[in-house]
Amino acid sequence: MRKARLAILASGRGSNAVALIKAAQQENFPAEVVLVLSDNRNAPVLDKARSLGVKAIWLDPGPKCTFLIPEVEKRWVEVLREHNVDYVLLAGFMRVIKKTLLDAFAGRILNIHPALLPSFKGLDAQRQAWEYGVKYSGATVHFVDDSLDSGPIILQEPVKVEDDDTPESLAARILEAEHRIYPEAVRLLAQGRLRIERRRVRILKEKHGG
Ligand code: GAR
């Protein structure tokens, strides 16, 4: 069976990108990472992806800091199409996705967020949760829609906040959870096992035999 073709969009360190690439390099994984795109010329993710044999390129993000203007998003879409990408995975991509990219990959863009959504949207979610004093935070993989961190939720993993945690120690354990649930969500997606029913994502059982 043809493997689904994945592109990862990332702005920084790239630990989720590495987790996804390594998972996809396992023999029975139903998808392959064909491209990593970064808006940050100096992002470590670029070299990390290349060292794992994945094409990684910096693309000009244009004049704005928090999103890509429509003409720039159009160029990013062209590059994704040139690589026959089926699904786009945001992995620490620090820009809001706008209409041009959303329309081009409707229902085919995923994001990882370091909190149990809908709590603690936006930046520095691990610190937000720690400062609020929650007893559990965690990680969420969700479909991307036109609002920030708000699309239908695919998988979540809770992480207990310990009394002696700092924002950094909590973030480190949340990151381990991210590295588990993101590849798992992508596997389910590529196997065609996710059904969105209004806001709810139903996970279909694995098919056995024919
Ligand atoms: C991850 O913790 C990811 O969940 C978060 O950025 C980090 C990127 O780390 N994303 C967001 O906060 C998006 N709202 P990585 O570059 O090592 O994968």
Side-chain angles (χ1 to χ4, degrees), residues 4-10 17 20-21 32-38 45-46 49-50 53-59 75-90 105:
R5 294 171 66 81
L6 311 172
I8 297 173
L9 271 50
L20 289 163
I21 291 168
E32 57 183 330
V33 180
V34 297
L35 183 64
V36 170
L37 292 181
S38 185
V45 68
L46 290 169
R50 287 176 195 135
V54 175
K55 181 171 178 182
I57 47 185
W58 170 78
L59 277 188
R75 175 66 195 134
W76 284 55
V77 167
E78 279 167 14
V79 173
L80 293 167
R81 290 206 169 122
E82 282 162 15
H83 290 81
N84 295 317
V85 166
D86 298 305
Y87 299 107
V88 175
L89 311 176
L90 309 183
F105 287 88

Side-chain angles (χ1 to χ4, degrees), residues 12-17 91-94 111-114 122-124 126 149 175 178-179:
R13 174 180 60 182
S15 72
N16 276 289
F93 187 64
M94 295 306 179
N111 183 43
I112 180 93
H113 185 74
L123 292 178
D124 225 352
Q126 306 95 325
D149 298 329
L175 195 63
E178 295 180 40
H179 296 168

